[in-house]
Amino acid sequence: MSEHADPTTDSALAGSAAAEVAGLSQLSSAALADRYSNSLLGVFGTPQRVLVRGSGCHVWDADGNQYLDLLGGIAVNTLGHGHPLLASVISSQLATLGHVSNFFTSPSQIALAEKLLEISAAPAGSKVFFANSGTEANEAALKLTRRNAGTADAPRTKVIALEHAFHGRTLGALSLTYKEKYRAPFAPLPENVQWIEAGNIEALRAAVDETVSAVFIEPIQGEAGVRLLSAEYLAAARQITREAGALLVFDEVQTGMGRTGSFFASAPVIPDVMTLAKGLGGGFPIGAMIVFGEENTKWLAPGDHGTTFGGNPVACAAGLAVIHTIEAQNLLAHVRATGQWLREQLAGIEDICAVRGAGLLTAFELVSANAPKLVAAALDAGFIVNATDEQTIRLAPPLVITTEQLGTLIAALPQLISAAS
Ligand SMILES: *Cc1c(COP(=O)(O)O)cnc(C)c1O
């Protein structure tokens, strides 16, 4: 008997799984929404649409409607939907070697780690740990920084995070997240986190002393509505933490991988630890923690941390394909140019009172329109955008989007805004 079942039975089995999905795709959105609510836990509320297909910067719903995706799966779909190279790299890696556990390694894992160290200008001795998501990358970072525990006489027990910070939903990352509404129902969480005003260097200097093990910073606070921190602030954070013996963690889960027009929004400042996820796999789940400098790699020794899926060959092949494509297509320059054009256009629209962002991570604030209402109106008109609060809309489209495509949103916005006012 061969290792695999009879190929004809095999393809019949695969075919029946595919046929089941294809059959569901034929149902109306209303029927699918019903099946969703009967089978999926309600933590996400009601899904806005049932999406069945994507290509480039567009997706299509179960009723055949087309949408321009200006959210990119929340800053994830770096190369857009259905990218042929990404799809072929993923499927050929899966066909060659799909999963092996961390008792083993694979060429794609090593290649992606080396590539991340190269593009982050990591000093010699720096190392990478792979996870599967942003929150897991931050869990790893939090565990690592816990080891910077000081001494019995002078323990370092405090972690500093910023007001409005978002670091994830698992208990450790949640303990750093600012929103009381997210944390309170799950108390007790790891304690001794202090939130300080974002962007205020004096507040940072005052808070970071010899009782602090780590400072966690998003270079741009994405979930908080794309709030930028200055290069001066990031450089000051580097200096202040170094002087106090605290570790500096940059959470680039949302801002990394070219989103802001450079590979990392915090460059050229080099932290002790950087976390990545969202855009890294172009839609395939992967997270990463980069540990900078040999002296920081000592914090986690064999057995101190682990994961079954992290560093999976397929996920790493996807990450590598994303980085190579960004480089080969000179996408960073494209992101800077299209992002700047987008913000200039937005600034010229009446009823938009503030425009913020870097590269293709942008938010704008509405004077009188309601942001969640605008999201609904935009969706009906064929545009996917996101509200981070009642006044603020966030855009994080695929990095391959064109000014022509962005221009269709700009042309539609005045009318959509008045419909949402
Ligand atoms: C999305 C996000 C996370 C959490 O990532 P998940 O993959 O959803 O766990 C953490 N930090 C930042 C800055 C994020 O934007």
Side-chain angles (χ1 to χ4, degrees), residues 13-53:
L13 284 174
S16 69
E20 186 175 343
V21 172
L24 275 187
S25 303
Q26 301 306 311
L27 298 182
S28 70
S29 282
L32 286 168
D34 212 40
R35 302 249 315 240
Y36 175 96
S37 66
N38 287 326
S39 57
L40 283 124
L41 196 66
V43 291
F44 300 107
T46 307
Q48 296 172 29
R49 292 290 192 275
V50 182
L51 300 177
V52 296
R53 187 166 70 84

Side-chain angles (χ1 to χ4, degrees), residues 37-403:
S37 66
N38 287 326
S39 57
L40 283 124
L41 196 66
V43 291
F44 300 107
T46 307
Q48 296 172 29
R49 292 290 192 275
V50 182
L51 300 177
V52 296
R53 187 166 70 84
S55 178
C57 295
H58 289 97
V59 291
W60 285 265
D61 71 16
D63 299 326
N65 301 305
Q66 176 182 301
Y67 303 88
L68 181 64
D69 185 2
L70 294 148
L71 184 58
I74 318 186
V76 166
N77 295 307
T78 325
L79 307 180
H81 298 271
H83 191 275
L85 177 81
L86 184 61
S88 101
V89 164
I90 287 171
S91 64
S92 72
Q93 181 63 55
L94 185 60
T96 307
L97 185 69
H99 176 81
V100 293
S101 91
N102 283 301
F103 291 128
F104 305 94
T105 186
S106 62
S108 68
Q109 186 183 65
I110 295 165
L112 181 60
E114 289 177 351
K115 193 72 187 163
L116 286 173
L117 294 174
E118 176 203 317
I119 63 175
S120 63
S126 302
K127 301 281 168 64
V128 175
F129 171 82
F130 287 117
N132 312 287
S133 65
T135 202
E136 277 176 86
N138 283 330
E139 291 291 328
L142 188 58
K143 280 181 74 175
L144 183 148
T145 61
R146 273 253 167 130
R147 306 303 293 280
N148 182 29
T151 62
D153 291 342
R156 294 179 181 273
T157 54
K158 206 194 269 183
V159 178
I160 303 295
L162 302 186
E163 290 177 3
H164 308 291
F166 180 85
H167 295 293
R169 301 294 203 123
T170 53
L171 288 180
L174 184 61
S175 75
L176 305 170
T177 290
Y178 182 68
K179 247 189 211 172
E180 171 91 28
K181 186 180 90 175
Y182 288 171
R183 280 183 289 114
F186 303 101
L189 295 174
E191 282 175 15
N192 230 350
V193 179
Q194 183 190 340
W195 290 273
I196 60 172
E197 189 191 344
N200 181 335
I201 293 175
E202 284 323 305
L204 188 63
R205 206 184 298 284
V208 181
D209 59 20
E210 67 289 344
T211 68
V212 171
S213 63
V215 177
F216 278 73
I217 292 176
E218 297 159 83
I220 298 175
Q221 298 183 299
E223 298 306 300
V226 190
R227 297 169 188 237
L228 281 74
L229 294 170
S230 67
E232 185 196 3
Y233 183 80
L234 299 180
R238 176 64 288 183
Q239 197 196 346
I240 289 167
T241 49
R242 186 173 282 137
E243 284 168 7
L247 297 174
L248 179 62
V249 181
F250 284 154
D251 177 345
E252 293 238 25
V253 167
Q254 186 158 160
T255 51
M257 305 321 300
R259 172 60 45 198
T260 66
S262 56
F263 268 117
F264 307 104
S266 56
V269 179
I270 294 194
D272 296 295
V273 175
M274 182 190 283
T275 54
L276 300 169
K278 290 195 167 89
L280 176 54
F284 203 91
I286 181 170
M289 168 173 75
I290 306 179
V291 182
F292 291 92
E294 192 157 18
E295 67 283 8
N296 281 322
T297 62
K298 70 170 188 269
W299 299 115
L300 291 178
D304 279 343
H305 194 48
T307 162
T308 298
F309 289 120
N312 169 282
V314 182
C316 290
L320 204 56
V322 166
I323 297 173
H324 278 294
T325 305
I326 290 172
E327 289 181 332
Q329 299 188 353
N330 203 11
L331 280 179
L332 298 179
H334 172 80
V335 167
R336 288 192 291 273
T338 44
Q340 191 183 336
W341 182 87
L342 173 64
R343 280 184 291 282
E344 282 165 12
Q345 300 299 310
L346 289 169
I349 294 175
E350 220 182 306
D351 213 62
I352 289 179
C353 59
V355 181
R356 294 185 292 272
L360 284 172
L361 181 59
T362 290
F364 57 90
E365 274 180 40
L366 301 158
V367 180
S368 50
N370 173 273
K373 261 173 124 178
L374 177 54
V375 169
L379 201 57
D380 287 341
F383 300 100
I384 296 177
V385 302
N386 165 250
T388 55
D389 59 41
E390 295 292 305
Q391 288 86 43
T392 312
I393 297 285
R394 170 177 52 173
L395 307 175
L399 307 188
V400 294
I401 200 163
T402 63
T403 49

